[in-house]
Each structure stands twice: as structure tokens, then as C-alpha cells.
Amino acid sequence: SAPDLHFGCQEGLAGRLPLFRELAPWIVAGILVGALAKVFLPAAWVSHYAGAKGMVGVGMALLFAGIVYTDSLGSLPFVHSLLQKGMGPGNAMILLVAGVGSNLSTLGPVTRTMGRRSALIYALGVLIVTGLLGLALNRL
């Protein structure tokens, strides 16, 4: 028999509402942070610090990755506004990738499940690998 798919049915929509309620505030927060960055961050500052191809730009991206990360969809407007103001492509990649692996919402469950030492090794691994990839991408 055919599988019972609920496309367009109320049961299918009801299953998606909790996910939407959970993600929507983070997406809106990312859009707002992106808009604030677009309007208020000076392009000269972004291109000087975040556009740097050396360790300064990569270090800034690594430092802010876990702090400004909201979620994957919410981070896109923020990173896009920084790219338009002169951020290096490797530094933008660092914000998107390292943000996922080094924020508190990721490290909390990793710490609870695998322990503090494993969470620290995991976070350092994410930061080192994304830092190296960011340096390489900035040089292309």
C-alpha cells in the first residue's frame, strides 16, 4: 500500500509548528543583527579588521563565531552584510562553520553527553580546522 503522506493536511502542518516556533526567533534575531551590521558597522572597519587576509582577520572571525552565531539561517544575513562591507571570504566561512561548532547551544549538549574534556577538544578542533581553511580561502 502507498505510504500515508500528509502533504497539505493539518496533521503534517501541526508537526512542523513546534519546529517553526523554535527556529523563528533565532532567524529573526539573525535578520536584525544583519540589518544592524549593514546600517551601523563602518565599511572601513569591516574591511580593515575582518577583510584582513592574515591572522588578524581569521582571529577576529574565530573570536566572534560562537558569540554572534544565532543559527544557520539567521547567520546568513549578518555574514552577507559583512561580505558586502569587505569581509574576506575565508573569514565569512569561519563565521558560518565555526559558529555552528563553537556556540553554547552546541557545546552544552556535547559537554553533558561526552564530558568537558571531549567538548573542549571538539571545540578546539572546529576552531583550528576552520581557521586553517579560512586562511586558505582568503588567499585564493
Side-chain angles (χ1 to χ4, degrees):
S1 79
D4 187 15
L5 301 174
H6 297 287
F7 294 114
C9 296
Q10 187 63 26
E11 294 89 5
L13 181 60
R16 292 178 188 95
L17 281 177
L19 179 62
F20 175 76
R21 277 190 235 130
E22 182 179 337
L23 294 178
W26 296 110
I27 294 170
V28 170
I31 292 169
L32 290 174
V33 169
L36 290 172
K38 178 104 173 146
V39 172
F40 294 111
L41 274 179
W45 185 88
V46 174
S47 64
H48 178 71
Y49 292 106
K53 292 188 177 202
M55 289 303 296
V56 172
V58 168
M60 293 286 284
L62 288 170
L63 178 69
F64 286 106
I67 298 170
V68 298
Y69 181 81
T70 55
D71 79 345
S72 352
L73 293 174
S75 294
L76 291 174
F78 174 65
V79 172
H80 180 260
S81 68
L82 294 177
L83 278 168
Q84 286 183 323
K85 290 185 177 252
M87 176 180 249
N91 300 339
M93 184 273 309
I94 288 170
L95 281 177
L96 292 172
V97 176
V100 174
S102 65
N103 68 65
L104 291 177
S105 64
T106 299
L107 292 178
V110 172
T111 301
R112 283 191 299 278
T113 305
M114 300 174 66
R116 190 173 287 168
R117 183 172 186 263
S118 294
L120 180 63
I121 292 169
Y122 166 76
L124 286 173
V126 167
L127 294 174
I128 290 168
V129 169
T130 55
L132 292 172
L133 289 173
L135 277 171
L137 186 56
N138 279 339
R139 298 205 185 275
L140 291 179

